[in-house]
Short mmCIF file of all heavy atoms in Angstrom, two decimals:
data_model
loop_
_atom_site.label_atom_id
_atom_site.label_comp_id
_atom_site.label_asym_id
_atom_site.label_seq_id
_atom_site.Cartn_x
_atom_site.Cartn_y
_atom_site.Cartn_z
N ILE A 147 -64.99 83.75 81.19
CA ILE A 147 -66.24 83.59 80.43
C ILE A 147 -67.40 83.48 81.42
O ILE A 147 -67.29 82.84 82.47
CB ILE A 147 -66.16 82.32 79.56
CG1 ILE A 147 -65.00 82.42 78.57
CG2 ILE A 147 -67.48 82.08 78.83
CD1 ILE A 147 -64.63 81.10 77.93
N VAL A 148 -68.52 84.09 81.07
CA VAL A 148 -69.72 84.05 81.92
C VAL A 148 -70.77 83.16 81.27
O VAL A 148 -71.04 83.28 80.07
CB VAL A 148 -70.30 85.46 82.12
CG1 VAL A 148 -71.59 85.41 82.94
CG2 VAL A 148 -69.29 86.37 82.81
N VAL A 149 -71.37 82.27 82.06
CA VAL A 149 -72.51 81.49 81.62
C VAL A 149 -73.73 81.98 82.39
O VAL A 149 -73.78 81.86 83.62
CB VAL A 149 -72.30 79.98 81.84
CG1 VAL A 149 -73.59 79.21 81.56
CG2 VAL A 149 -71.18 79.46 80.95
N SER A 150 -74.68 82.55 81.67
CA SER A 150 -75.89 83.10 82.27
C SER A 150 -77.07 82.19 81.93
O SER A 150 -77.53 82.15 80.78
CB SER A 150 -76.14 84.52 81.74
OG SER A 150 -77.36 85.04 82.22
N ASP A 151 -77.54 81.45 82.92
CA ASP A 151 -78.64 80.50 82.74
C ASP A 151 -79.95 81.24 82.99
O ASP A 151 -80.25 81.62 84.12
CB ASP A 151 -78.45 79.35 83.73
CG ASP A 151 -79.53 78.28 83.62
OD1 ASP A 151 -80.53 78.48 82.92
OD2 ASP A 151 -79.37 77.22 84.28
N GLU A 152 -80.75 81.42 81.93
CA GLU A 152 -81.95 82.24 82.02
C GLU A 152 -83.22 81.45 81.72
O GLU A 152 -84.20 81.97 81.22
CB GLU A 152 -81.80 83.45 81.08
CG GLU A 152 -80.56 84.27 81.42
CD GLU A 152 -80.35 85.50 80.55
OE1 GLU A 152 -81.30 85.92 79.86
OE2 GLU A 152 -79.23 86.05 80.57
N ILE A 153 -83.19 80.15 82.08
CA ILE A 153 -84.30 79.26 81.76
C ILE A 153 -85.61 79.69 82.43
O ILE A 153 -86.70 79.41 81.93
CB ILE A 153 -83.94 77.80 82.14
CG1 ILE A 153 -84.96 76.80 81.59
CG2 ILE A 153 -83.82 77.65 83.64
CD1 ILE A 153 -84.87 76.57 80.13
N TYR A 154 -85.52 80.41 83.57
CA TYR A 154 -86.73 80.85 84.28
C TYR A 154 -87.08 82.31 83.95
O TYR A 154 -87.87 82.94 84.66
CB TYR A 154 -86.54 80.71 85.79
CG TYR A 154 -86.49 79.27 86.24
CD1 TYR A 154 -85.27 78.61 86.36
CD2 TYR A 154 -87.65 78.57 86.54
CE1 TYR A 154 -85.21 77.29 86.76
CE2 TYR A 154 -87.60 77.25 86.95
CZ TYR A 154 -86.37 76.61 87.05
OH TYR A 154 -86.33 75.29 87.44
N GLU A 155 -86.51 82.84 82.90
CA GLU A 155 -86.63 84.25 82.54
C GLU A 155 -88.05 84.80 82.67
O GLU A 155 -88.28 85.87 83.25
CB GLU A 155 -86.14 84.44 81.10
CG GLU A 155 -86.45 85.78 80.50
CD GLU A 155 -86.21 85.82 79.00
OE1 GLU A 155 -85.95 84.74 78.41
OE2 GLU A 155 -86.28 86.91 78.43
N HIS A 156 -89.03 84.10 82.12
CA HIS A 156 -90.40 84.64 82.06
C HIS A 156 -91.18 84.44 83.36
O HIS A 156 -92.24 85.05 83.53
CB HIS A 156 -91.16 84.01 80.90
CG HIS A 156 -90.62 84.38 79.56
ND1 HIS A 156 -90.40 85.68 79.17
CD2 HIS A 156 -90.22 83.60 78.50
CE1 HIS A 156 -89.92 85.71 77.94
NE2 HIS A 156 -89.78 84.46 77.52
N ILE A 157 -90.66 83.59 84.26
CA ILE A 157 -91.35 83.40 85.55
C ILE A 157 -90.73 84.40 86.51
O ILE A 157 -89.89 84.08 87.34
CB ILE A 157 -91.24 81.94 86.02
CG1 ILE A 157 -91.70 80.98 84.92
CG2 ILE A 157 -92.10 81.73 87.28
CD1 ILE A 157 -91.53 79.52 85.25
N ASN A 158 -91.17 85.62 86.36
CA ASN A 158 -90.56 86.78 87.01
C ASN A 158 -91.70 87.63 87.57
O ASN A 158 -92.59 88.04 86.83
CB ASN A 158 -89.76 87.55 85.95
CG ASN A 158 -89.06 88.78 86.48
OD1 ASN A 158 -89.58 89.49 87.33
ND2 ASN A 158 -87.88 89.07 85.94
N TYR A 159 -91.66 87.88 88.89
CA TYR A 159 -92.75 88.58 89.55
C TYR A 159 -92.46 90.06 89.78
O TYR A 159 -93.30 90.78 90.32
CB TYR A 159 -93.08 87.91 90.89
CG TYR A 159 -93.19 86.41 90.78
CD1 TYR A 159 -92.39 85.56 91.53
CD2 TYR A 159 -94.09 85.83 89.89
CE1 TYR A 159 -92.48 84.18 91.40
CE2 TYR A 159 -94.19 84.45 89.76
CZ TYR A 159 -93.38 83.64 90.52
OH TYR A 159 -93.48 82.28 90.40
N VAL A 160 -91.28 90.51 89.40
CA VAL A 160 -90.91 91.91 89.62
C VAL A 160 -90.65 92.65 88.32
O VAL A 160 -90.54 93.87 88.30
CB VAL A 160 -89.67 92.02 90.53
CG1 VAL A 160 -90.00 91.49 91.92
CG2 VAL A 160 -88.47 91.29 89.95
N GLY A 161 -90.54 91.94 87.20
CA GLY A 161 -90.31 92.57 85.91
C GLY A 161 -88.87 92.98 85.73
O GLY A 161 -88.05 92.90 86.63
N GLY A 162 -88.55 93.40 84.51
CA GLY A 162 -87.22 93.92 84.25
C GLY A 162 -86.13 92.87 84.23
O GLY A 162 -85.08 93.07 84.83
N HIS A 163 -86.35 91.76 83.51
CA HIS A 163 -85.30 90.75 83.41
C HIS A 163 -84.05 91.33 82.76
O HIS A 163 -84.13 92.03 81.76
CB HIS A 163 -85.78 89.55 82.60
CG HIS A 163 -84.72 88.53 82.37
ND1 HIS A 163 -84.38 87.60 83.34
CD2 HIS A 163 -83.88 88.30 81.32
CE1 HIS A 163 -83.41 86.83 82.87
NE2 HIS A 163 -83.08 87.24 81.64
N ALA A 164 -82.91 91.04 83.35
CA ALA A 164 -81.64 91.54 82.85
C ALA A 164 -80.72 90.39 82.45
O ALA A 164 -80.71 89.35 83.11
CB ALA A 164 -80.95 92.41 83.90
N SER A 165 -79.97 90.59 81.36
CA SER A 165 -79.01 89.60 80.88
C SER A 165 -77.60 90.18 80.93
O SER A 165 -77.41 91.35 80.56
CB SER A 165 -79.33 89.20 79.43
OG SER A 165 -80.62 88.63 79.32
N MET A 166 -76.64 89.39 81.35
CA MET A 166 -75.26 89.86 81.38
C MET A 166 -74.79 90.27 79.99
O MET A 166 -74.03 91.24 79.82
CB MET A 166 -74.35 88.78 81.96
CG MET A 166 -72.89 89.19 82.08
SD MET A 166 -72.60 90.50 83.29
CE MET A 166 -72.51 89.53 84.82
N ALA A 167 -75.25 89.57 78.96
CA ALA A 167 -74.80 89.85 77.60
C ALA A 167 -75.31 91.18 77.05
O ALA A 167 -74.86 91.62 75.99
CB ALA A 167 -75.20 88.71 76.67
N GLN A 168 -76.24 91.81 77.76
CA GLN A 168 -76.78 93.08 77.27
C GLN A 168 -75.75 94.21 77.36
O GLN A 168 -75.91 95.24 76.71
CB GLN A 168 -78.04 93.49 78.04
CG GLN A 168 -77.79 93.91 79.46
CD GLN A 168 -79.08 94.10 80.25
OE1 GLN A 168 -79.35 95.16 80.76
NE2 GLN A 168 -79.89 93.06 80.32
N PHE A 169 -74.70 94.01 78.15
CA PHE A 169 -73.64 95.01 78.26
C PHE A 169 -72.65 94.80 77.12
O PHE A 169 -72.13 93.69 76.92
CB PHE A 169 -72.93 94.90 79.61
CG PHE A 169 -73.85 95.01 80.80
CD1 PHE A 169 -73.92 93.99 81.73
CD2 PHE A 169 -74.65 96.13 80.98
CE1 PHE A 169 -74.77 94.07 82.82
CE2 PHE A 169 -75.50 96.23 82.07
CZ PHE A 169 -75.56 95.20 82.99
N ASP A 170 -72.37 95.85 76.37
CA ASP A 170 -71.49 95.74 75.21
C ASP A 170 -70.13 95.14 75.57
O ASP A 170 -69.55 94.38 74.79
CB ASP A 170 -71.30 97.12 74.57
CG ASP A 170 -72.56 97.61 73.88
OD1 ASP A 170 -73.44 96.79 73.60
OD2 ASP A 170 -72.65 98.84 73.63
N ASP A 171 -69.63 95.49 76.77
CA ASP A 171 -68.30 95.01 77.15
C ASP A 171 -68.32 93.58 77.71
O ASP A 171 -67.28 93.03 78.08
CB ASP A 171 -67.64 95.95 78.16
CG ASP A 171 -68.52 96.23 79.38
OD1 ASP A 171 -69.59 95.61 79.51
OD2 ASP A 171 -68.14 97.10 80.20
N MET A 172 -69.51 92.96 77.76
CA MET A 172 -69.61 91.56 78.22
C MET A 172 -70.17 90.63 77.15
O MET A 172 -70.10 89.41 77.29
CB MET A 172 -70.52 91.48 79.47
CG MET A 172 -69.96 92.16 80.70
SD MET A 172 -68.36 91.49 81.23
CE MET A 172 -68.79 89.79 81.59
N PHE A 173 -70.70 91.18 76.07
CA PHE A 173 -71.40 90.37 75.07
C PHE A 173 -70.50 89.28 74.49
O PHE A 173 -70.92 88.12 74.36
CB PHE A 173 -71.92 91.27 73.94
CG PHE A 173 -72.67 90.53 72.87
CD1 PHE A 173 -74.00 90.14 73.08
CD2 PHE A 173 -72.06 90.20 71.67
CE1 PHE A 173 -74.70 89.45 72.10
CE2 PHE A 173 -72.75 89.51 70.68
CZ PHE A 173 -74.08 89.14 70.90
N ASN A 174 -69.28 89.62 74.16
CA ASN A 174 -68.39 88.66 73.49
C ASN A 174 -67.71 87.67 74.43
O ASN A 174 -66.83 86.91 74.01
CB ASN A 174 -67.33 89.41 72.68
CG ASN A 174 -67.90 90.03 71.43
OD1 ASN A 174 -68.81 89.48 70.82
ND2 ASN A 174 -67.38 91.19 71.04
N ARG A 175 -68.12 87.66 75.68
CA ARG A 175 -67.56 86.69 76.63
C ARG A 175 -68.67 86.06 77.48
O ARG A 175 -68.39 85.44 78.51
CB ARG A 175 -66.51 87.36 77.52
CG ARG A 175 -67.04 88.60 78.22
CD ARG A 175 -65.93 89.42 78.81
NE ARG A 175 -65.36 88.78 79.98
CZ ARG A 175 -64.72 89.45 80.94
NH1 ARG A 175 -64.58 90.77 80.86
NH2 ARG A 175 -64.23 88.81 81.97
N THR A 176 -69.92 86.19 77.04
CA THR A 176 -71.06 85.64 77.78
C THR A 176 -71.80 84.63 76.93
O THR A 176 -72.08 84.87 75.75
CB THR A 176 -72.04 86.76 78.19
OG1 THR A 176 -71.35 87.69 79.04
CG2 THR A 176 -73.23 86.19 78.93
N VAL A 177 -72.13 83.50 77.54
CA VAL A 177 -72.99 82.49 76.92
C VAL A 177 -74.35 82.58 77.60
O VAL A 177 -74.46 82.40 78.82
CB VAL A 177 -72.42 81.07 77.09
CG1 VAL A 177 -73.35 80.04 76.45
CG2 VAL A 177 -71.02 80.98 76.50
N THR A 178 -75.37 82.89 76.82
CA THR A 178 -76.73 82.99 77.36
C THR A 178 -77.45 81.68 77.08
O THR A 178 -77.60 81.28 75.92
CB THR A 178 -77.50 84.16 76.72
OG1 THR A 178 -76.75 85.36 76.88
CG2 THR A 178 -78.86 84.33 77.37
N VAL A 179 -77.87 81.01 78.15
CA VAL A 179 -78.52 79.70 78.04
C VAL A 179 -80.01 79.87 78.34
O VAL A 179 -80.39 80.54 79.31
CB VAL A 179 -77.91 78.69 79.04
CG1 VAL A 179 -78.59 77.33 78.92
CG2 VAL A 179 -76.41 78.56 78.82
N ASN A 180 -80.85 79.27 77.50
CA ASN A 180 -82.29 79.36 77.73
C ASN A 180 -82.96 78.12 77.15
O ASN A 180 -82.30 77.21 76.66
CB ASN A 180 -82.85 80.66 77.11
CG ASN A 180 -84.02 81.22 77.91
OD1 ASN A 180 -84.87 80.48 78.38
ND2 ASN A 180 -84.06 82.54 78.04
N GLY A 181 -84.28 78.08 77.22
CA GLY A 181 -85.04 76.95 76.73
C GLY A 181 -86.51 77.18 76.99
O GLY A 181 -86.93 78.25 77.43
#
């Protein structure tokens, strides 16, 4: 199982934030954490 902590998602100076869960073969085994 993957835990992807994306709490700093918007504080990004290069653009193009990526999430592990965006891949169809990883979605059902990834927990996306944010706040």
Side-chain angles (χ1 to χ4, degrees):
I147 300 165
V148 177
V149 172
S150 175
D151 181 351
E152 303 181 15
I153 190 74
Y154 291 93
E155 169 192 8
H156 294 308
I157 307 176
N158 180 323
Y159 313 122
V160 295
H163 175 80
S165 300
M166 182 67 83
Q168 70 189 239
F169 304 122
D170 290 342
D171 54 6
M172 294 301 299
F173 181 79
N174 287 327
R175 54 194 288 204
T176 299
V177 179
T178 306
V179 180
N180 212 320

